[in-house]
Each structure stands twice: as C-alpha cells, then as structure tokens.
Amino acid sequence: MSPSQIIREIAALHGVDPDEITGRCRCARVVFVRIKIAHQLDAGGYSMGRIGAILNRDPATIGFYLGRSKKKPRFKPMPEKRKFYLVPYAGAYWPEYDWKERPCQA
C-alpha cells in the first residue's frame, strides 16, 4: 500500500482531512492520527527520514512519535472514572462525608 493510501485510509477512519495530516495543524486529534500513520509506515518498512518527508515533519519528531526518542511524552492517558465518590453535606467536616457509588453508565 502506498503512503498516500495509508494517509487517506487512516485519516478517513478518524474523521480528519488528509491535508491536515501534512499541514501545520498541531491539535491533539491530528497529532494522534499522525502518530498512527507513522507507526503504520514504520511497520511497512519506511525509514524515519522517509516518514518525515511523507508527513512533512522532522525525522526527530517521527522518532518521538515512534517512541525512539530520549524525551518522554508530556501527555498522560485519561484516568478512569472513580466508582465511588465523596458527597459533602451541610454542616459536616470532611471525615463525616459519605461515600456514594457512581451509577453505571452503560
């Protein structure tokens, strides 16, 4: 599969315009799709320099996308919702708060 086909396919899967992938956009959803595309191209045998040329990015950025950088990523995974939470009530101080269970959202 050619790089342009991979870009179009993954961009369509995530609802992103393929022109944004190679453009200057730095919003999180586009960067996430770029990382997915970089991983797909890396699995296809492309070098970091070639992937950088395809995505219009520096090869060091591609190394960061692929996890080959010495720097650690700044973003953290989303925490899971807590099952129990504290509910304060009028006139109580914190040891007297009640623990309630969060209703299931199926």
Side-chain angles (χ1 to χ4, degrees), residues 46-66:
Y46 289 92
S47 67
M48 288 196 315
R50 183 70 182 127
I51 296 171
I54 292 167
L55 296 179
N56 199 18
R57 294 285 174 264
D58 190 72
T61 304
I62 303 302
F64 180 77
Y65 287 171
L66 299 175

Side-chain angles (χ1 to χ4, degrees), residues 85-89 96-100:
Y85 60 100
L86 275 175
V87 179
Y89 57 93
E96 295 177 348
Y97 289 178
D98 292 329
W99 285 97
K100 295 218 174 174

Side-chain angles (χ1 to χ4, degrees), residues 1-2 10 12-13 18-19 28 33 36 38 40 42 44 47-48 57 59-60 68 82-83 85 92 97:
M1 193 181 297
S2 73
I10 295 177
L13 183 69
D19 292 332
V33 175
K36 291 270 192 190
Q40 188 76 24
D42 184 51
S47 67
M48 288 196 315
R57 294 285 174 264
R68 298 180 190 161
R82 294 182 179 168
K83 188 172 182 176
Y85 60 100
Y97 289 178

Side-chain angles (χ1 to χ4, degrees), residues 8-96:
R8 280 195 304 267
E9 181 181 314
I10 295 177
L13 183 69
H14 292 283
V16 175
D17 184 27
D19 292 332
E20 289 181 347
I21 302 297
T22 58
R24 295 180 56 168
C25 183
R26 291 172 46 180
C27 63
R29 66 183 178 86
V30 175
V31 171
F32 175 75
V33 175
R34 270 192 210 122
I35 292 171
K36 291 270 192 190
I37 292 170
H39 280 281
Q40 188 76 24
L41 292 172
D42 184 51
Y46 289 92
S47 67
M48 288 196 315
R50 183 70 182 127
I51 296 171
I54 292 167
L55 296 179
N56 199 18
R57 294 285 174 264
D58 190 72
T61 304
I62 303 302
F64 180 77
Y65 287 171
L66 299 175
R68 298 180 190 161
S69 173
K70 294 177 184 170
K71 287 187 174 181
K72 300 227 181 215
R74 287 189 297 180
F75 53 88
K76 298 177 185 174
M78 293 291 289
E80 293 182 25
K81 275 196 162 182
R82 294 182 179 168
K83 188 172 182 176
F84 293 95
Y85 60 100
L86 275 175
V87 179
Y89 57 93
Y93 61 100
W94 72 268
E96 295 177 348

